[in-house]
Amino acid sequence: MPPADSTTRRWGALTAVTLGCAALVLLGITGSEPTTPASHGARPSSNVGPWYLVGLGDSITSGAGCPGCTNFLDLYARDITGATAVPVGVTNLGVPGWTSTDLLTSLSDPTTVGTVGAADIVTVDIGANDFLPMLETALSGQCGGADGLSCFDSALGTLHDNLTAILDRIRELRGGRPTAVRVTGYWNVFLDGHVADATYGVLFQRTSGALTQRVNATIQSVATAEEATYVDLYTPFKGPDGDDDDTPLLAPDGDHPSQGGHQEIAEALIAAGLAPLRVRR
């Protein structure tokens, strides 16, 4: 998700300060004095760093499908440090196949409780696997409803309720300390790109695209209501009109991000800023 005389050195230093300040303004994290660190869970947490990033989610977060790739969490942490000079530790708790119910349940596990309780930055990527049980019904044309998506309604409701509980739980575990919670959407809840065309047929892309938009709307609605930040991944992968071919951003399985895809995710996260975290000017 880079020997001079004294004049040259002085101008180099001024340039570095200027660029660093510009990066901090972009991230929206300048301007406050440090707060007193509070201990919770695995490590002390501070508003001014070093920071601890925890990724929660499914196989997208885990990095499945792209062996050897640098995960978006590591790219995101690197970019934060590059812009702020604040060290960022990373723990990846993504689990392939997890649903929103699985993630919610995990937030009662003592180890996860301590890890999330110490996290200054939390990314949440969850929900796509909630819809897999209805995929065959949709492919057979039996989903129902004017838009052919009625069989997914129950899962959308479950995602809404579970994600609300997940974000409530993160807030509870953080105990009111400043926390940058970033909740990502999806480019597609099922396969995408050339692999999807070959597997499901081109016409099904309309159905999966329409469902993905409803899923993303649900995720965004919950994130907004819970005062977290929604991070759109549909547009970076599919374009503003949703008709870009995102095959180059996908791993060979057509499901998970390629290295380019991980980079896009990291860039979308960094563009969202880090509020309410701040660093000393």
Side-chain angles (χ1 to χ4, degrees):
M1 207 163 163
D5 59 27
S6 59
T7 301
T8 301
R9 286 196 299 271
R10 182 167 62 254
W11 279 107
L14 288 172
T15 301
V17 169
T18 301
L19 291 174
C21 290
L24 293 175
V25 170
L26 174 64
L27 288 172
I29 54 178
T30 60
S32 73
E33 293 301 310
T35 58
T36 303
S39 295
H40 186 105
R43 55 172 287 280
S45 174
S46 171
N47 194 27
V48 294
W51 290 324
Y52 183 30
L53 164 63
V54 174
L56 302 174
D58 54 29
S59 56
I60 305 301
T61 296
S62 77
C66 193
C69 287
T70 302
N71 188 280
F72 74 83
L73 291 173
D74 296 311
L75 296 171
Y76 182 33
R78 180 201 66 189
D79 290 345
I80 292 171
T81 299
T84 67
V86 176
V88 180
V90 178
T91 295
N92 188 336
L93 296 181
V95 180
W98 263 16
T99 64
S100 61
T101 299
D102 295 320
L103 177 52
L104 178 58
T105 300
S106 78
L107 291 173
S108 296
D109 174 81
T111 300
T112 304
V113 165
T115 301
V116 174
D120 306 285
I121 309 165
V122 181
T123 65
V124 181
D125 139 59
I126 202 69
N129 292 315
D130 292 28
F131 302 92
L132 284 177
M134 306 88 189
L135 177 57
E136 289 302 320
T137 301
L139 286 170
S140 68
Q142 303 300 311
C143 197
D147 56 4
L149 297 175
S150 290
C151 64
F152 297 107
D153 287 347
S154 177
L156 281 165
T158 298
L159 174 59
H160 178 281
D161 294 347
N162 283 345
L163 185 56
T164 299
I166 287 165
L167 297 179
D168 283 344
R169 181 61 169 156
I170 291 170
R171 183 185 302 111
E172 177 186 6
L173 294 176
R174 287 291 294 150
R177 291 181 296 282
T179 311
V181 181
R182 302 295 180 256
V183 187
T184 64
Y186 289 92
W187 50 92
N188 201 315
V189 295
F190 300 132
L191 300 179
D192 208 1
H194 293 169
V195 173
D197 292 344
T199 304
Y200 302 140
V202 176
L203 292 179
F204 186 72
Q205 289 287 60
R206 298 179 184 176
T207 299
S208 65
L211 174 62
T212 300
Q213 294 282 46
R214 289 184 63 183
V215 171
N216 287 342
T218 298
I219 294 172
Q220 183 174 16
S221 174
V222 173
T224 300
E226 294 296 313
E227 300 182 341
T229 299
Y230 173 74
V231 178
D232 171 35
L233 297 184
Y234 186 86
T235 301
F237 275 71
K238 305 284 289 182
D241 299 321
D243 54 8
D244 286 2
D245 178 14
D246 58 3
T247 299
L249 299 178
L250 302 176
D253 62 9
D255 193 15
H256 301 96
S258 64
Q259 185 62 78
H262 279 284
Q263 184 64 52
E264 288 288 343
I265 297 171
E267 290 177 3
L269 287 165
I270 204 75
L274 285 171
L277 299 182
R278 304 177 78 85
V279 295
R280 189 195 298 272
R281 282 183 292 197

